[in-house]
């Protein structure tokens, strides 16, 4: 890794405190970015010492494994701060000084992380242009990337006036998780599964991301956004692309992006009749929420991909706030045998089809369910499963936080796990019928699984969550 200077916009914000500063600390601690300078900037009037104190508190609370004084002293020396109000010239002066400190150790990379509200992103882009900090740099941008096709095109055009597309890294932390990348490994490294990864053998796919959290403190942002724009376009659709894309010619970032974009272009327009929108009771009671708000806090939808591999296979997506469980489950349901020779009393088929399940938790898990004979007389079947968890392996301590991995990939110029302009615009184009004519929101109780209409949406199939079988408890290899 070449020496790196990271300019962190929004350096005192919640994301920076919980994820970005601890992530940068861990990258240096692991030796993945041994030569690092971090220039923090935000609207807060801090000096460098104040920023270092904030960063230490953040890393002590949120960095996996905490901090050691020796490692912290090294990381602390890499931190400095410039208030946004000081102007682009002052920021550029500090950045150039940081690069000069590292100049004798090879070519120095420059990465800008825009941890700012969407409405402030273009102002930051202009600030970088005014400060002369664009050339040979890279920029990480947070979601959302527009709110419809028109705004996405306008945003991309404005950014492209300053940065080339190859410099832009639109981040989705879901794709930084080990489990998401395990989908690629599972599909393309194993001759057992790729031949059956198609409409002939797969009945349907579910991507299910319920959340138990509410919206305290985020209602102003959320009421203008909603579950579809906040979660589906930016996260769930990107995971869908990993599941549905054709094998890339290589794992180079450009090749993966080509195949993901093909999936998005092949999506049928999202019809309002294939969507259930919900809003939990008491949402309109928040101070920042209008009494007539039609914003969805829950959404479930059916997505169809009109290509040779997936024609006729529905993808069901669901996410929402204040639901019964917080999970991140991908479930692939295989078609059942065309004919059964087992008697009605054998229990064959009683527990539904065979499933391959991915759990997108930080310690990734996979499960394959199937029918097997129950020991004893007669032919009585039961549902069995083979399970794997990263926590079972000696490599468990090497699991990286999603933001750590994505920041590292951006430093290396690897865009495999990032969205690009073409893909984003294709998604908004497919979304336009839904945005133009959204179905009415249906109320649901906090702690439930959403409106009852979700069962009609997926019928005659059923939702896999609540999960009918528990994951096997596995010991942590780091204990004992």
């Amino acid at each position: 890794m070449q020496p790196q200077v990271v300019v962190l916009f929004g350096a005192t914000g919640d994301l920076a405190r919980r994820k970005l500063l601890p992530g940068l600390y861990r990258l240096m601690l692991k030796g993945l970015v041994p030569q690092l300078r971090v220039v923090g900037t935000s609207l807060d009037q801090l000096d460098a010492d104040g920023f270092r104190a904030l960063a230490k508190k953040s890393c002590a609370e949120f960095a996996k494994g905490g901090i050691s004084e020796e490692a912290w002293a090294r990381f602390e020396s890499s931190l400095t701060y410039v208030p946004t109000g000081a102007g682009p010239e002052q920021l550029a002066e500090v950045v150039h000084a940081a690069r000069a400190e590292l100049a004798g150790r090879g070519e120095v990379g420059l990465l800008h992380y825009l941890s700012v509200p969407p409405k402030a992103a273009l102002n930051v882009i202009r600030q970088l242009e005014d400060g002369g900090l664009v050339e040979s740099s890279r920029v990480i941008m947070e979601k959302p990337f527009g709110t419809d096709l028109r705004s996405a095109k306008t945003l991309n055009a404005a950014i492209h006036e300053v940065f080339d597309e190859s410099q832009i890294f639109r981040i989705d932390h879901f794709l930084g998780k080990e489990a998401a990348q395990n989908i690629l490994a599972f599909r393309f490294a194993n001759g057992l599964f790729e031949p059956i990864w198609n409409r002939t053998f797969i009945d349907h796919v579910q991507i299910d991301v319920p959340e138990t959290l509410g919206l305290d403190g985020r209602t102003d942002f959320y009421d203008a956004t909603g579950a579809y724009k906040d979660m589906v376009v930016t996260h769930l659709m990107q995971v869908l692309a990993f599941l549905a894309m054709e094998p890339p010619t290589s794992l180079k970032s450009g090749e993966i992006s080509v195949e993901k974009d093909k999936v998005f272009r092949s999506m049928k327009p999202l019809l309002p009749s294939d969507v259930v929108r919900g809003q939990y009771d008491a949402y309109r009671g928040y101070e920042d929420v209008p009494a007539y708000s039609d914003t969805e806090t829950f959404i479930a939808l059916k997505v169809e991909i009109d290509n040779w591999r997936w024609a006729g296979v529905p993808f069901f997506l669901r996410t929402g706030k204040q639901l019964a469980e917080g999970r991140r489950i991908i479930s692939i349901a295989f078609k059942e045998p065309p004919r059964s020779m087992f008697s009605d009393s054998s229990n064959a088929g009683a527990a539904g089809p065979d499933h391959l399940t991915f759990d997108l938790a930080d310690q990734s898990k996979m499960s394959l369910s199937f029918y097997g004979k129950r020991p004893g007389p007669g032919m009585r079947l039961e549902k069995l499963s083979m399970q794997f968890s990263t926590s079972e392996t000696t490599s468990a301590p090497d699991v990286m936080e999603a933001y750590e991995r994505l920041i590292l990939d951006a430093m290396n110029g690897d865009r495999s796990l990032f969205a690009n302009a073409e893909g984003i615009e294709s998604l908004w184009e497919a979304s336009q019928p839904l945005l133009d004519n959204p179905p009415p929101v249906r109320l649901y109780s906090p702690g439930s699984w959403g409106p009852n209409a979700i069962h009609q949406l997926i019928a005659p199939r059923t939702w896999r969550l609540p999960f009918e079988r528990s994951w096997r408890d596995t010991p942590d290899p780091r204990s004992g």
Side-chain angles (χ1 to χ4, degrees), residues 349-369:
D354 300 337
H355 283 88
L356 175 64
T357 304
F358 294 88
D359 188 337
L360 297 183
D362 290 334
Q363 292 283 356
S364 61
K365 300 176 183 177
M366 291 182 288
S367 171
L368 178 64
S369 70

Side-chain angles (χ1 to χ4, degrees), residues 54-73:
L54 180 148
K56 185 173 185 179
K57 182 179 179 181
S58 300
C59 292
E61 183 175 357
F62 296 110
K64 187 166 63 175
I67 62 175
S68 69
E69 288 304 319
E70 179 183 354
W72 175 254

Side-chain angles (χ1 to χ4, degrees), residues 1 28 67 144 172 183 260 280 382 385 387 404 412 432:
M1 171 61 67
M28 176 179 276
I67 62 175
D172 173 13
I183 295 171
K260 285 174 60 183
Y280 65 78
E382 62 182 343
S385 69
Q387 298 186 7
E404 292 175 25
N412 283 317
Q432 205 59 51

Side-chain angles (χ1 to χ4, degrees), residues 61-289:
E61 183 175 357
F62 296 110
K64 187 166 63 175
I67 62 175
S68 69
E69 288 304 319
E70 179 183 354
W72 175 254
R74 190 155 50 93
F75 183 66
E76 184 180 47
S77 66
S78 73
L79 302 176
T80 190
Y81 185 84
V82 182
T84 303
E89 294 81 9
Q90 181 64 32
L91 176 64
E93 183 179 331
V94 174
V95 171
H96 291 319
R99 297 188 81 175
E101 289 180 33
L102 301 173
R105 306 169 192 181
E107 185 178 350
V108 180
L110 177 58
L111 176 66
H112 308 294
Y113 198 120
L114 275 57
S115 179
V116 298
K119 60 185 178 182
L122 284 180
N123 289 335
V124 174
I125 294 291
R126 298 301 181 190
Q127 184 178 357
L128 292 172
E129 182 181 33
D130 293 343
L133 296 174
V134 174
E135 186 178 356
S136 301
S137 71
R138 297 173 177 132
V139 58
I140 296 179
M141 299 191 66
E142 285 281 346
K143 67 178 180 72
F145 313 115
T147 56
D148 55 19
L149 179 59
R150 181 178 179 180
S151 62
K153 286 185 172 181
T154 301
L155 176 63
N156 286 329
I159 297 170
H160 289 157
E161 290 177 3
V162 181
F163 285 94
D164 183 77
E165 178 65 20
S166 64
Q167 296 175 274
I168 304 167
F169 293 74
R170 299 171 184 83
I171 197 167
D172 173 13
H173 71 271
F174 269 48
L175 296 188
K177 293 179 176 293
E178 289 281 355
Q181 294 175 80
N182 232 337
I183 295 171
L184 297 181
F186 193 89
R187 285 191 58 189
F188 301 130
N190 297 293
L192 179 62
F193 288 99
E194 181 56 24
I196 61 172
W197 208 266
N198 55 57
R199 59 186 170 84
T200 305
F201 299 98
I202 291 177
D203 178 79
H204 72 280
V205 177
Q206 295 181 32
I207 304 174
D208 214 348
V209 186
E211 297 180 281
T212 58
L213 299 174
L215 293 167
D216 294 339
R218 296 185 66 222
T219 49
D220 185 35
F221 159 78
Y222 199 88
D223 196 64
T225 305
Y228 182 77
K229 296 175 182 178
D230 184 48
M231 287 291 293
V232 177
V233 175
T234 50
H235 296 319
L236 274 62
M237 290 297 192
Q238 299 296 327
V239 174
L240 183 152
F242 268 26
L243 290 166
M245 73 183 193
E246 296 297 321
T249 56
S250 73
L251 289 182
K252 293 180 179 178
S253 58
E255 303 300 331
I256 290 179
S257 294
V258 165
E259 299 304 333
K260 285 174 60 183
D261 291 347
K262 288 180 183 177
V263 173
F264 299 142
R265 290 198 302 270
S266 299
M267 282 175 50
K268 290 185 177 181
L270 297 176
L271 302 179
S273 58
D274 290 333
V275 178
V276 174
R277 297 168 69 236
Q279 185 183 91
Y280 65 78
D281 290 333
Y283 172 75
R284 294 178 184 175
Y286 287 113
E287 183 179 348
D288 295 330
V289 176

